Amino acid sequence: MTIPPVPYDIAPRPAAGTSPEEQQFNDLIAADSRIEPRDWMPEAYRKTLVRQISQHAHSEIIGMQPEGNWITRAPSLKRKAILLAKVQDEAGHGLYLYSAAQTLGITRDEMTDALIAGKARYSSIFNYPSPTWADMGSIGWLVDGAAICNQVPLCRASYGPYGRAMVRICKEESFHQRQGFEILLELMNGTDEQRAMAQESVNRWYWPALQMFGPPDDDSPNSAQSMKWNIKRFSNDELRQRFVGMLVPQAEVLGVTLPDPDLRWNEEKGVYDMGEIDWTEFHEVLQGRGPANARRLQRRRDAHEAGRWVREAAAAYARKQAAKLTETAVA
Ligand code: BYC
């Protein structure tokens, strides 16, 4: 007996035990489409997104500190205005991302409480100090540069509110990266002392910037599932490699040396070979034992406490407005 062909416009049947909602989720992912807050999603997908988006939001907020450190000491009014705008952008990024996470059913208070209790992660990079003005250049060039490399693919993340937040964030990060490059370029065109300051700063930030992409692929427990769900599009090592490829020609224009004696072009593979990253240092920072972890967290706690009266006043005002509305409705 011949089996008639299955018409190809009929969707494949759900696997046994798959609910219609789950099948719809699987179909959306398979079609590289977007999942929206109204859609059903597996609990593990929701948790992964809450984890990644809240960590990302915390990174933006804690990330204001190393640069905030230089606002009052920027070398000119122009530099001060640019730095101020950049730090404000980071606050804005934090807010878009907290809002995106809130669509997944977690509250802003829950996320903030986890951060100030020291239970939430934020990017390892912000646990390093920024003692010189050149650090404003290195943070822009290397840290925002790494962020762009990691975040441009996240504009296509399967979760709608996250992907859309990333589009605007990436546009602003591009400006941040350019302003950092320009600070370093000006220093490299300056005096011997300024050139030395720029090089010393690049030496300190280079390796921690490479660690921003996360552990190596064979030690990255979340990558495989996040890639299946179209949250991550490239692996940690792929993005790190892409970043180094971007940096080499830019370092040549700047005239700075990337502090990796093993960095060289591999003709056969078509990528740069690099030296070994110090993963022990990375894990120490993740455990809270980096050079500035304690200081960063204490500063965030103090700011939260100092802002308590603002939150209370805003809540009291909202209550009064709501009461007025009810009175008008009754009258
Ligand atoms: N630092 O399985 P893996 C910015 C954790 S802000 C700390 O590879 P995943 C800027 C990871 O969370 C830049 N922790 O994880 C702001 C996981 O631990 P848990 C922030 C890290 O999620 C102001 C464990 O290690 N960017 O640009 O698949 C001024 C195993 O890792 C780090 C983002 O947040 C790290 N570097 O991949 C200037 C981007 N790396 O959660 C600039 C969004 C890994 O299981 N996030 N861990 O306890 C991502 O793209 C991904 O979450 C990561 C990690 C690539 C970071």
Side-chain angles (χ1 to χ4, degrees):
M1 186 185 106
T2 50
I3 300 169
V6 179
Y8 49 77
D9 57 345
I10 293 183
R13 282 182 180 208
T18 308
S19 68
E21 301 86 12
E22 188 173 359
Q23 189 55 46
Q24 193 191 10
F25 173 86
N26 292 342
D27 291 346
L28 285 170
I29 295 290
D32 204 357
S33 201
R34 282 241 146 111
I35 308 296
E36 297 297 339
R38 61 170 183 267
D39 295 328
W40 182 91
M41 60 189 82
E43 185 54 16
Y45 176 81
R46 193 187 70 81
K47 278 197 175 145
T48 292
L49 284 165
V50 168
R51 178 183 66 78
Q52 179 163 328
I53 302 173
S54 64
Q55 286 178 9
H56 195 162
H58 297 327
S59 305
E60 300 283 355
I61 298 300
I62 297 280
M64 294 163 76
Q65 293 187 32
E67 292 174 294
N69 180 31
W70 278 93
I71 289 174
T72 56
R73 295 178 290 155
S76 70
L77 187 59
K78 184 180 128 198
R79 292 289 182 202
K80 191 186 183 106
I82 296 171
L83 188 59
L84 204 55
K86 179 180 191 278
V87 174
Q88 282 175 347
D89 283 352
E90 313 298 0
H93 298 173
L95 298 187
Y96 314 147
L97 290 164
Y98 281 130
S99 301
Q102 281 173 265
T103 65
L104 292 155
I106 187 166
T107 67
R108 174 93 176 267
D109 283 347
E110 283 170 318
M111 290 184 272
T112 304
D113 289 350
L115 177 64
I116 61 179
K119 291 183 191 150
R121 287 200 195 288
Y122 57 86
S123 182
S124 50
I125 193 76
F126 300 117
N127 293 304
Y128 292 84
S130 52
T132 72
W133 170 251
D135 292 337
M136 299 305 96
S138 296
I139 291 177
W141 181 46
L142 296 172
V143 177
D144 289 287
I148 295 168
C149 230
N150 165 266
Q151 292 171 19
V152 166
L154 290 174
C155 296
R156 292 191 291 122
S158 57
Y159 189 56
Y162 190 32
R164 286 190 288 273
M166 292 315 305
V167 172
R168 177 151 174 195
I169 292 176
C170 284
K171 285 187 183 155
E172 293 176 352
E173 297 291 17
S174 300
F175 150 71
H176 297 171
Q177 196 260 359
R178 293 298 291 266
Q179 70 85 41
F181 183 88
E182 202 261 333
I183 290 176
L184 289 178
L185 191 61
E186 189 149 322
L187 291 174
M188 291 305 289
N189 285 327
T191 62
D192 285 352
E193 218 179 344
Q194 285 172 318
R195 272 193 290 278
M197 179 169 65
Q199 181 63 59
E200 186 276 334
S201 171
V202 168
N203 292 350
R204 274 185 291 109
W205 289 95
Y206 177 74
W207 291 104
L210 295 191
Q211 293 173 355
M212 284 176 73
F213 294 91
D217 292 351
D218 55 10
D219 191 26
S220 165
N222 301 298
S223 277
Q225 185 59 64
S226 288
M227 285 173 83
K228 277 190 199 144
W229 277 329
N230 297 340
I231 298 171
K232 282 171 95 159
R233 299 287 178 158
F234 299 97
S235 76
N236 298 356
D237 285 333
E238 282 168 339
L239 291 173
R240 193 172 3 254
Q241 189 73 55
R242 185 180 290 188
F243 178 55
V244 170
M246 238 175 65
L247 285 184
V248 171
Q250 294 179 5
E252 273 167 26
V253 174
L254 284 173
V256 295
T257 307
L258 296 174
D260 178 357
D262 297 320
L263 186 67
R264 60 183 58 87
W265 180 248
N266 183 324
E267 195 64 58
E268 205 179 305
K269 292 189 190 155
V271 292
Y272 283 93
D273 286 334
M274 334 175 199
E276 200 43 48
I277 294 174
D278 185 349
W279 294 113
T280 310
E281 175 185 314
F282 173 75
H283 288 294
E284 280 294 293
V285 172
L286 259 58
Q287 293 299 312
R289 293 188 288 269
N293 292 58
R295 202 184 334 152
R296 297 284 183 250
L297 217 47
Q298 191 53 49
R299 187 86 197 275
R300 185 68 198 87
R301 280 185 196 123
D302 293 346
H304 189 67
E305 242 349 274
R308 181 177 297 282
W309 71 271
V310 180
R311 293 190 297 279
E312 286 173 358
Y317 180 73
R319 274 195 302 275
K320 271 190 194 166
Q321 292 300 99
K324 262 192 205 162
L325 272 180
T326 324
E327 270 171 33
T328 331
V330 171

